Amino acid sequence: MASNKIQFRSIHELKDPSLNGKLALKEFQEEIPVEDFLGDAEKSDASTTRRDFLKLLGFSTAAVTLAACEAPVIKTIPYVVKPHDIIPGVPNYYASTYFDGFDFASVLVKTREGRPIKIDPNPAAGDLGKTNARAQASVLSLYDNDKVKQPKFEGKDETFDKVDDFVIKGLEEAKASGKRIVLLSHSFASPTFKKLFAEFKAKYPTAELVTYDAIPYAASLDAAQEVFGQRALPVYDLKGSELVVAFQADFLGEYNAASLETSYAVARKPGANMLRHIQVESNMSLTGANADSRYRLKPSAVNKTLVEVYNAIVGGGSSDKLANELAKELSAKGSKAVVFADGSKGAQVLAHLINQKLGSVAFTGKANFLKEFDKARFQEFLGWVNGGQVGVLITNNVDPIYSHHKGQDFKKSLAKVPYVIAVADKKNEMYKAAKAVIPVANWLESWGDIEPQSGVYSLMQPTIQKIYKSRQIEESLLVWKNGKNNAANNYYDYLKANSASVLGGTSFNKALYNGIVASTNATTLSYAGGNAAQAVAELGNFKASDLELVLYTKTSIGDGTQANNPWLQELPDPLTRMSWDNYLTISPKDAKDLGIENDLNARMQLDGSIVNLTVNGVTIKDVPVFIQPGQADGSVGLALGYGKKDSGATADTGVNAYPLFDGSNLVISNVKIEKTGESHEFAGIQLQNTLMGRYDIAKEVPLTEYLNVAFDDEHHGWNKPLEYHTISGALPAGKIDLWDAFDDTDGPHFNLSVDLNSCTGCGACIIACQAENNVPVVGKEEIRMSRDMYWLRIDRYYSAKEKIETKEGVERGLNVPQLYDILIEPNESPDVIFQPVMCQHCNHAPCETVCPVAATSHGKQGQNHMAYNRCIGTRYCANNCPYKVRRFNWFTYNLNDRFDFNQNNDLGRMVLNPDVVVRTRGVMEKCSLCIQQTQATILNAKKENRKVTDNEFKNSVACASACSTGSLMFGDMNDKESEVRELYSSNRRYHLLEEIGTKPNVFYHTKVRNRAEN
C-alpha cells in the first residue's frame, strides 16, 4: 500500500506546497549580494560572524556551481569537409618571425583548430630564436579587442576600395605637383619591402622612405657609423669571454637591439674560466642585478669613469682608483675581455675603441640590421612637413605625436599635409590626425621577411586568417603601385618571387618550414675609425647636476608597442616587483633628503609619494616615486613606453616619459622634483609570498670558495648535505621519513632543475606559463590585495643589512611589518638573486594530507595533481604549503565585467588553451608541470612505439621551453641519460626548505659569484 506521508524539507514548504515551483523559477534571478559584504566599507564593520560569512560565501559559490550545470545553447557548424592539415585536438606548429618594429625573434607558433595560442622559440635559429617576455605575450596582442577593426575615412567606417581611391588620388596629385610622398615607417629590415618600395618610388619619383622609431638607437648607430664606417650595429658573443665591464649598458635587455642572455649564461657556467661581470651604472638594471661587482654612480660620474678607463687602457694612465682597477682587470684579460657602454654616442665610441685595443673576441664582425633610424634624415623630414613640401604622408604603425619629444609640434604641422594616411592598430594620436586609416595586420596575420643580421634570412607567415579588415603595408603598396584589382597585388607571390635572390639554392617551402636560413648577405664590420678626443669632449660636456635622470625600458613594456597587452602590464618588474606602473626610482638617501616616502601597511601594501618631474623645462606631472635600493645617489630613473592615450584601456597606464627623450641621449641632467603631497598606491607581489627570513632560501658562494673548498667540508662546506640529529646519531635527511616510500621507477618520474647562476629574472617563463595554462589577469586592485594568480613567480632577494630569524623577531617584540622592514632593507649597493618559485611537487606534500576532499593528490610521475571540480576551496592546502605557491580563485575572472581583460570578451578568449580548463571561483590552482604537455608527449611516443627522448621532455613544460639561458631544465629522472638526472648529481644542488621533509621534485643550484670577497 502506498504511503500517505507528506515529505518536506522545511516548515515553509509544508505550509505552501507550491513553494518548490516558485523557488525554482526565481532561484538565480537576483544577484547574491556578496559584494555588499566584501566591498562595502560601511558593512565591513558590521557584526557579521565568521560562520555567517562562510555560509554566505559557501552559498554564493554553490549558486554559481549549480547555475553552471545548465550550459548555454551555442549554435555550431561542424566540418563538412575537414581541412587536411587540421586534426581536432592536435596542435599544429608553424615556423615564423616575430617582428613588431621593436623586437625580433624566430619562433614556432602553436595553433589549435586554426588559432594561434602560444609562442615558442625556434630551436633552428639559435640565439636569434630566443624569446623574451614581449615575444611570448605577443600572441595575446593578436586578440586585442581595442584594435582598429576596419578602414576609416574622416572618422567613419569605410571600405578599402574608397580609402584606396582617396590615397591614389593624393599620390597622383603629389606626383603632378612635385610634392613629396613620405612613407614614415619603423625600422624594417625586410629585403622584399625595400624592393617593393623602390618600385613604388619608380612610379612616384617624389616618394621617400623615412625611418622613425620610438627608441631609435640613434646614439648606437651614430657611433657604429663613426667607428665601423657602416650604419649597422655590431653583434657580440660572450661565449669566449672571461670579463665584461658595462657602463650603463643593459646588455641582458635591449642593448644594441639584441639581448646577450644566451651567450652570457654559457660563459657564466661555474669553473676556472667563468665570466666575471662588472657593472658601472646609475639605475639598478636587470643586467646590473646579475653582476658580480656593481658600482653605483650618477651618470656624470659614470661618464668620467669611462673616460678614465679609456685613458688607462691606451696608456695615458689615470688618477681614478676605480678606473685603474677596471683597466688593470681589462688589460689582464686582454682579448677575453669586452666593454659595453650606453647613454650617448661618445660613450659607445669609447667602448668600441677600448674593445679594438683589447682585440676582444666578443666582437664577431657580424652586423645587426634591425635598427635603421637616421636622426639627420628625420630632421630633414620634419623640415619638409613644416615647409609644406609633403603632399602625402603615410605612417606605418608609428605615432610620433606620442613618442617624439616634440610630438605636439609635429601634430600641429600635420595640418600642412593635404593627405595623411595612418596604417595603425589603435585609435591613437596618428589615427585621430589622419584623414584615412588602414588597420595594420598583426605579424601573425602577415607574410614577410626580415634580414636581422649578416648571413641570416628569416621568413614570416600567417598562422590565422585576418580577424578584422586589416592589411599590411606591403599589400597597400602593391595596390597603390599596380592599381586596384590587379592580379599582381598578391604579396605572397611577390615575396616568394623575390626571396629566390636571397635564398640561393634553398627552396622557398623549405625556408618557410625552417623559418630561418642562411642568406647571401655577408656584410662584416671592422674597425675603421673613431674620434676618441671628440667622444671624450662630448662626455665632458655633460653637465653634472644635483639630480640626473636615466631613461630606460622595462622588460615587460619595452618601447610601448604592446602597452595594451594586459599580460605585460601585470608582469612584475624583476627588480621592484611592481606591476601596472612606471615610476621614478630614487635612492634611499635622496628620498630621505627630499622627504619622499614609501610606506608599507599591515597588509603588505606599498604607498609612495607623488612628484612633479621637471627636466630642462619640460614637466611631467603626478609621477609616483619608488625608493630603489642600488640606485645611485644623485640620480633618478624613469621607464619609457607608458601612458599611451587612446590605445586601449590597458595602455593608459603610468606616465609618458617620451617628452623628456631627445632620441639620442638616455641620460639627462638638470632635473628637479617637486612633491605634490599626494600618495600613490603601488601594486606589488614581492612581499605576499616571499620565503624571506626562512633559513637559506637563495644560496650563493664565491667562486674561489666553490673551486677550492669541498661543498661538504665539515667546517667550511658551502653546501653541506642536511643531516638530522636523532637518538641513533646524525643521519642524512634522505634516510629519515614519516611515510613509506612508493616505487617510482616504473615509467617517467619528473624533476625540474633551477639554476640560480643563469636565471637573469627576465620573466619570459612567467608569460609562457600564463599563456600555456590560461592564467587570468586580475588587475592592479587585486594584485595590491595580494591576489595574483601566477603559477610561477620570480622572487628577488637583496642582501639585507640585518638577518633576523623568526624567534629573534618575537624576542625583540617586532610585529610583522617591522620584521619585514628590517629584512627588506638592503645595503646601499646590494647583491641581488633571482629565484623562480613554482609548486615544488613534493613527494611528501603537506597540501595533500590536509585536503578534506582529496582534491590534491600525488601522481606516480612525481606531479602534484589538482582536481578542480572536486575542490571546495577550504584553502587548507594553501595554509599548509611552506612555499606559498597555491592560488585561490577569489572571483570568476572570465566573463566578469570586473576583470575587463582578455578573458572578458570573445576575441580575447581565442588565446585560451583548450587542453587546460578555465578555473572558476572558489577553487585552488597552481603549477601542474604542464601535465597536458607531458602526457601528450608520452602518448605521441606510445603511438609511435618508441621511447620519449630527453629533448622532448625538456620542451614539454612552458617555463623551461621559454628560458633563454637554460636556467630551467625539465626531464625524467628515470632516464639515466637525461640532463636533469646529471644536474641532480651536481654539488651545487639543494632543495628549498629541505629541513621540513617535503622531498620536492624541484631542485635548485647555488649561485656562484666571481669576485674576491672581503
Side-chain angles (χ1 to χ4, degrees), residues 484-526:
K484 296 187 301 182
N485 303 316
N486 192 307
N489 289 349
N490 188 309
Y491 186 61
Y492 166 76
D493 294 336
Y494 189 91
L495 172 69
K496 186 175 181 180
N498 183 63
S499 65
S501 62
V502 185
L503 291 172
T506 305
S507 72
F508 180 78
N509 284 346
K510 183 177 181 180
L512 201 61
Y513 177 83
N514 292 326
I516 195 165
V517 294
S519 79
T520 55
N521 188 336
T523 301
T524 58
L525 300 180
S526 59

Short mmCIF file of all heavy atoms in Angstrom, two decimals, residues 484-526:
data_model
loop_
_atom_site.label_atom_id
_atom_site.label_comp_id
_atom_site.label_asym_id
_atom_site.label_seq_id
_atom_site.Cartn_x
_atom_site.Cartn_y
_atom_site.Cartn_z
N LYS A 484 44.02 49.15 -58.34
CA LYS A 484 43.11 48.24 -57.65
C LYS A 484 42.79 47.03 -58.53
O LYS A 484 42.77 47.11 -59.75
CB LYS A 484 41.83 48.97 -57.27
CG LYS A 484 42.03 50.10 -56.27
CD LYS A 484 40.70 50.68 -55.80
CE LYS A 484 39.88 51.23 -56.93
NZ LYS A 484 38.63 51.84 -56.47
N ASN A 485 42.53 45.89 -57.87
CA ASN A 485 42.08 44.65 -58.52
C ASN A 485 43.06 44.12 -59.55
O ASN A 485 42.68 43.44 -60.50
CB ASN A 485 40.71 44.86 -59.18
CG ASN A 485 39.66 45.34 -58.19
OD1 ASN A 485 39.57 44.84 -57.08
ND2 ASN A 485 38.86 46.34 -58.61
N ASN A 486 44.34 44.43 -59.35
CA ASN A 486 45.37 43.92 -60.25
C ASN A 486 45.78 42.53 -59.79
O ASN A 486 45.95 42.27 -58.59
CB ASN A 486 46.57 44.87 -60.25
CG ASN A 486 47.55 44.58 -61.36
OD1 ASN A 486 48.03 43.46 -61.51
ND2 ASN A 486 47.87 45.61 -62.13
N ALA A 487 46.00 41.62 -60.73
CA ALA A 487 46.38 40.24 -60.39
C ALA A 487 47.74 40.18 -59.70
O ALA A 487 48.05 39.19 -59.01
CB ALA A 487 46.40 39.38 -61.65
N ALA A 488 48.54 41.21 -59.86
CA ALA A 488 49.89 41.22 -59.28
C ALA A 488 49.89 41.76 -57.85
O ALA A 488 50.96 41.99 -57.27
CB ALA A 488 50.82 42.06 -60.14
N ASN A 489 48.72 41.95 -57.26
CA ASN A 489 48.64 42.54 -55.92
C ASN A 489 48.74 41.52 -54.80
O ASN A 489 48.51 41.86 -53.64
CB ASN A 489 47.35 43.34 -55.76
CG ASN A 489 47.37 44.63 -56.56
OD1 ASN A 489 48.41 45.03 -57.07
ND2 ASN A 489 46.22 45.25 -56.70
N ASN A 490 49.06 40.26 -55.13
CA ASN A 490 49.19 39.22 -54.11
C ASN A 490 50.60 39.27 -53.52
O ASN A 490 51.57 38.95 -54.20
CB ASN A 490 48.92 37.85 -54.74
CG ASN A 490 48.86 36.74 -53.71
OD1 ASN A 490 49.77 36.61 -52.88
ND2 ASN A 490 47.81 35.94 -53.75
N TYR A 491 50.70 39.67 -52.26
CA TYR A 491 52.03 39.84 -51.67
C TYR A 491 52.74 38.52 -51.45
O TYR A 491 53.98 38.46 -51.49
CB TYR A 491 51.95 40.61 -50.35
CG TYR A 491 53.32 40.93 -49.79
CD1 TYR A 491 54.22 41.71 -50.51
CD2 TYR A 491 53.74 40.41 -48.56
CE1 TYR A 491 55.49 41.98 -50.03
CE2 TYR A 491 55.01 40.68 -48.06
CZ TYR A 491 55.87 41.47 -48.80
OH TYR A 491 57.13 41.73 -48.32
N TYR A 492 52.01 37.44 -51.23
CA TYR A 492 52.65 36.13 -51.09
C TYR A 492 53.45 35.79 -52.36
O TYR A 492 54.61 35.37 -52.28
CB TYR A 492 51.60 35.05 -50.83
CG TYR A 492 52.12 33.64 -51.01
CD1 TYR A 492 52.94 33.05 -50.06
CD2 TYR A 492 51.80 32.91 -52.16
CE1 TYR A 492 53.43 31.76 -50.23
CE2 TYR A 492 52.30 31.63 -52.35
CZ TYR A 492 53.10 31.05 -51.38
OH TYR A 492 53.60 29.78 -51.56
N ASP A 493 52.82 35.98 -53.52
CA ASP A 493 53.52 35.70 -54.78
C ASP A 493 54.73 36.61 -54.95
O ASP A 493 55.80 36.18 -55.41
CB ASP A 493 52.56 35.89 -55.97
CG ASP A 493 51.44 34.86 -55.97
OD1 ASP A 493 51.63 33.77 -55.38
OD2 ASP A 493 50.36 35.15 -56.54
N TYR A 494 54.57 37.86 -54.59
CA TYR A 494 55.67 38.83 -54.72
C TYR A 494 56.84 38.43 -53.81
O TYR A 494 58.00 38.46 -54.22
CB TYR A 494 55.15 40.22 -54.36
CG TYR A 494 56.12 41.35 -54.65
CD1 TYR A 494 56.11 42.01 -55.87
CD2 TYR A 494 57.06 41.75 -53.69
CE1 TYR A 494 57.00 43.04 -56.13
CE2 TYR A 494 57.95 42.77 -53.94
CZ TYR A 494 57.92 43.42 -55.16
OH TYR A 494 58.81 44.42 -55.42
N LEU A 495 56.51 38.06 -52.56
CA LEU A 495 57.54 37.66 -51.61
C LEU A 495 58.26 36.41 -52.09
O LEU A 495 59.50 36.33 -52.03
CB LEU A 495 56.89 37.40 -50.24
CG LEU A 495 57.77 36.79 -49.16
CD1 LEU A 495 58.83 37.77 -48.70
CD2 LEU A 495 56.91 36.35 -47.96
N LYS A 496 57.52 35.44 -52.54
CA LYS A 496 58.12 34.17 -53.00
C LYS A 496 59.06 34.40 -54.17
O LYS A 496 60.16 33.84 -54.23
CB LYS A 496 57.01 33.20 -53.38
CG LYS A 496 57.50 31.79 -53.73
CD LYS A 496 56.34 30.85 -53.98
CE LYS A 496 56.84 29.45 -54.29
NZ LYS A 496 55.72 28.50 -54.53
N ALA A 497 58.65 35.26 -55.09
CA ALA A 497 59.49 35.54 -56.25
C ALA A 497 60.77 36.27 -55.85
O ALA A 497 61.87 35.95 -56.35
CB ALA A 497 58.70 36.37 -57.26
N ASN A 498 60.66 37.22 -54.95
CA ASN A 498 61.83 38.00 -54.57
C ASN A 498 62.80 37.21 -53.69
O ASN A 498 64.01 37.43 -53.71
CB ASN A 498 61.40 39.26 -53.85
CG ASN A 498 62.58 40.15 -53.48
OD1 ASN A 498 63.29 40.65 -54.35
ND2 ASN A 498 62.82 40.33 -52.19
N SER A 499 62.26 36.28 -52.88
CA SER A 499 63.13 35.56 -51.94
C SER A 499 64.15 34.68 -52.64
O SER A 499 65.18 34.33 -52.06
CB SER A 499 62.27 34.70 -51.01
OG SER A 499 61.61 33.69 -51.73
N ALA A 500 63.88 34.33 -53.91
CA ALA A 500 64.81 33.47 -54.63
C ALA A 500 66.20 34.09 -54.72
O ALA A 500 67.21 33.38 -54.68
CB ALA A 500 64.26 33.18 -56.02
N SER A 501 66.26 35.42 -54.80
CA SER A 501 67.56 36.10 -54.91
C SER A 501 68.33 36.08 -53.60
O SER A 501 69.54 36.30 -53.59
CB SER A 501 67.35 37.55 -55.37
OG SER A 501 66.57 38.25 -54.41
N VAL A 502 67.61 35.82 -52.50
CA VAL A 502 68.26 35.81 -51.18
C VAL A 502 68.56 34.39 -50.73
O VAL A 502 69.58 34.12 -50.09
CB VAL A 502 67.35 36.49 -50.13
CG1 VAL A 502 68.05 36.58 -48.78
CG2 VAL A 502 66.93 37.87 -50.60
N LEU A 503 67.70 33.45 -51.11
CA LEU A 503 67.81 32.08 -50.61
C LEU A 503 68.90 31.27 -51.31
O LEU A 503 69.34 30.24 -50.78
CB LEU A 503 66.47 31.35 -50.79
CG LEU A 503 65.32 31.84 -49.91
CD1 LEU A 503 64.02 31.17 -50.32
CD2 LEU A 503 65.63 31.55 -48.45
N GLY A 504 69.31 31.71 -52.49
CA GLY A 504 70.30 30.91 -53.20
C GLY A 504 69.68 29.62 -53.70
O GLY A 504 68.67 29.61 -54.39
N GLY A 505 70.24 28.48 -53.28
CA GLY A 505 69.73 27.19 -53.75
C GLY A 505 68.63 26.60 -52.89
O GLY A 505 68.08 25.55 -53.22
N THR A 506 68.29 27.25 -51.77
CA THR A 506 67.26 26.72 -50.88
C THR A 506 65.87 27.05 -51.43
O THR A 506 65.62 28.17 -51.86
CB THR A 506 67.40 27.33 -49.47
OG1 THR A 506 68.71 27.12 -48.99
CG2 THR A 506 66.41 26.69 -48.51
N SER A 507 64.99 26.05 -51.42
CA SER A 507 63.64 26.29 -51.91
C SER A 507 62.86 27.15 -50.93
O SER A 507 63.14 27.15 -49.72
CB SER A 507 62.90 24.96 -52.12
OG SER A 507 62.57 24.37 -50.87
N PHE A 508 61.86 27.86 -51.44
CA PHE A 508 61.05 28.74 -50.60
C PHE A 508 60.30 27.93 -49.55
O PHE A 508 60.23 28.33 -48.38
CB PHE A 508 60.06 29.53 -51.47
CG PHE A 508 59.19 30.47 -50.69
CD1 PHE A 508 59.68 31.68 -50.24
CD2 PHE A 508 57.87 30.15 -50.39
CE1 PHE A 508 58.89 32.57 -49.52
CE2 PHE A 508 57.06 31.02 -49.67
CZ PHE A 508 57.58 32.23 -49.24
N ASN A 509 59.76 26.79 -49.93
CA ASN A 509 58.99 25.99 -48.99
C ASN A 509 59.87 25.45 -47.86
O ASN A 509 59.44 25.38 -46.71
CB ASN A 509 58.30 24.83 -49.71
CG ASN A 509 57.08 25.30 -50.50
OD1 ASN A 509 56.61 26.41 -50.31
ND2 ASN A 509 56.59 24.45 -51.39
N LYS A 510 61.08 25.06 -48.20
CA LYS A 510 61.98 24.56 -47.16
C LYS A 510 62.36 25.70 -46.20
O LYS A 510 62.41 25.50 -44.99
CB LYS A 510 63.24 23.96 -47.78
CG LYS A 510 64.19 23.35 -46.75
CD LYS A 510 65.40 22.70 -47.41
CE LYS A 510 66.32 22.09 -46.34
NZ LYS A 510 67.51 21.45 -46.95
N ALA A 511 62.61 26.88 -46.76
CA ALA A 511 62.93 28.04 -45.92
C ALA A 511 61.76 28.39 -45.02
O ALA A 511 61.92 28.72 -43.85
CB ALA A 511 63.31 29.22 -46.80
N LEU A 512 60.55 28.29 -45.57
CA LEU A 512 59.36 28.59 -44.79
C LEU A 512 59.17 27.55 -43.68
O LEU A 512 58.77 27.89 -42.57
CB LEU A 512 58.14 28.59 -45.72
CG LEU A 512 56.89 29.34 -45.24
CD1 LEU A 512 57.20 30.81 -45.05
CD2 LEU A 512 55.77 29.15 -46.25
N TYR A 513 59.48 26.31 -43.98
CA TYR A 513 59.35 25.23 -42.99
C TYR A 513 60.32 25.45 -41.83
O TYR A 513 59.97 25.30 -40.66
CB TYR A 513 59.62 23.89 -43.66
CG TYR A 513 59.58 22.71 -42.72
CD1 TYR A 513 58.38 22.12 -42.36
CD2 TYR A 513 60.76 22.20 -42.18
CE1 TYR A 513 58.35 21.03 -41.48
CE2 TYR A 513 60.73 21.12 -41.31
CZ TYR A 513 59.52 20.54 -40.96
OH TYR A 513 59.49 19.48 -40.10
N ASN A 514 61.55 25.85 -42.14
CA ASN A 514 62.57 26.06 -41.11
C ASN A 514 62.41 27.40 -40.41
O ASN A 514 62.85 27.57 -39.27
CB ASN A 514 63.97 25.96 -41.71
CG ASN A 514 64.31 24.55 -42.15
OD1 ASN A 514 63.88 23.58 -41.54
ND2 ASN A 514 65.08 24.43 -43.24
N GLY A 515 61.84 28.37 -41.11
CA GLY A 515 61.64 29.69 -40.54
C GLY A 515 62.83 30.61 -40.69
O GLY A 515 62.67 31.83 -40.79
N ILE A 516 64.02 30.03 -40.72
CA ILE A 516 65.23 30.85 -40.79
C ILE A 516 66.30 30.07 -41.55
O ILE A 516 66.46 28.86 -41.36
CB ILE A 516 65.71 31.23 -39.37
CG1 ILE A 516 66.74 32.36 -39.43
CG2 ILE A 516 66.21 30.04 -38.59
CD1 ILE A 516 66.98 33.03 -38.08
N VAL A 517 66.99 30.74 -42.46
CA VAL A 517 68.02 30.09 -43.27
C VAL A 517 69.19 31.05 -43.47
O VAL A 517 69.11 32.23 -43.10
CB VAL A 517 67.47 29.66 -44.65
CG1 VAL A 517 66.42 28.57 -44.52
CG2 VAL A 517 66.89 30.87 -45.40
N ALA A 518 70.24 30.54 -44.07
CA ALA A 518 71.39 31.40 -44.39
C ALA A 518 71.05 32.26 -45.60
O ALA A 518 70.33 31.84 -46.51
CB ALA A 518 72.61 30.54 -44.68
N SER A 519 71.54 33.49 -45.59
CA SER A 519 71.32 34.39 -46.72
C SER A 519 72.64 34.67 -47.43
O SER A 519 73.71 34.30 -46.95
CB SER A 519 70.71 35.71 -46.23
OG SER A 519 71.70 36.54 -45.67
N THR A 520 72.52 35.33 -48.56
CA THR A 520 73.71 35.65 -49.34
C THR A 520 74.41 36.92 -48.85
O THR A 520 75.47 37.27 -49.34
CB THR A 520 73.33 35.81 -50.82
OG1 THR A 520 72.29 36.79 -50.92
CG2 THR A 520 72.81 34.49 -51.38
N ASN A 521 73.80 37.61 -47.89
CA ASN A 521 74.39 38.85 -47.38
C ASN A 521 75.50 38.54 -46.40
O ASN A 521 75.27 38.03 -45.31
CB ASN A 521 73.31 39.70 -46.70
CG ASN A 521 73.81 41.08 -46.31
OD1 ASN A 521 75.01 41.31 -46.14
ND2 ASN A 521 72.89 42.01 -46.16
N ALA A 522 76.73 38.83 -46.78
CA ALA A 522 77.88 38.51 -45.94
C ALA A 522 78.54 39.77 -45.38
O ALA A 522 79.76 39.81 -45.17
CB ALA A 522 78.89 37.69 -46.74
N THR A 523 77.74 40.81 -45.13
CA THR A 523 78.28 42.07 -44.61
C THR A 523 79.05 41.85 -43.30
O THR A 523 78.57 41.15 -42.40
CB THR A 523 77.14 43.07 -44.35
OG1 THR A 523 76.44 43.29 -45.58
CG2 THR A 523 77.68 44.39 -43.83
N THR A 524 80.22 42.41 -43.22
CA THR A 524 81.00 42.33 -41.99
C THR A 524 81.41 43.73 -41.55
O THR A 524 81.51 44.66 -42.37
CB THR A 524 82.27 41.48 -42.17
OG1 THR A 524 83.06 42.04 -43.23
CG2 THR A 524 81.91 40.04 -42.50
N LEU A 525 81.62 43.87 -40.25
CA LEU A 525 82.08 45.13 -39.69
C LEU A 525 83.53 44.99 -39.26
O LEU A 525 83.95 43.94 -38.76
CB LEU A 525 81.23 45.52 -38.48
CG LEU A 525 79.72 45.73 -38.70
CD1 LEU A 525 79.06 46.11 -37.38
CD2 LEU A 525 79.46 46.80 -39.75
N SER A 526 84.27 46.05 -39.44
CA SER A 526 85.66 46.09 -38.96
C SER A 526 85.97 47.50 -38.49
O SER A 526 85.35 48.47 -38.94
CB SER A 526 86.63 45.66 -40.05
OG SER A 526 86.51 46.51 -41.19
#
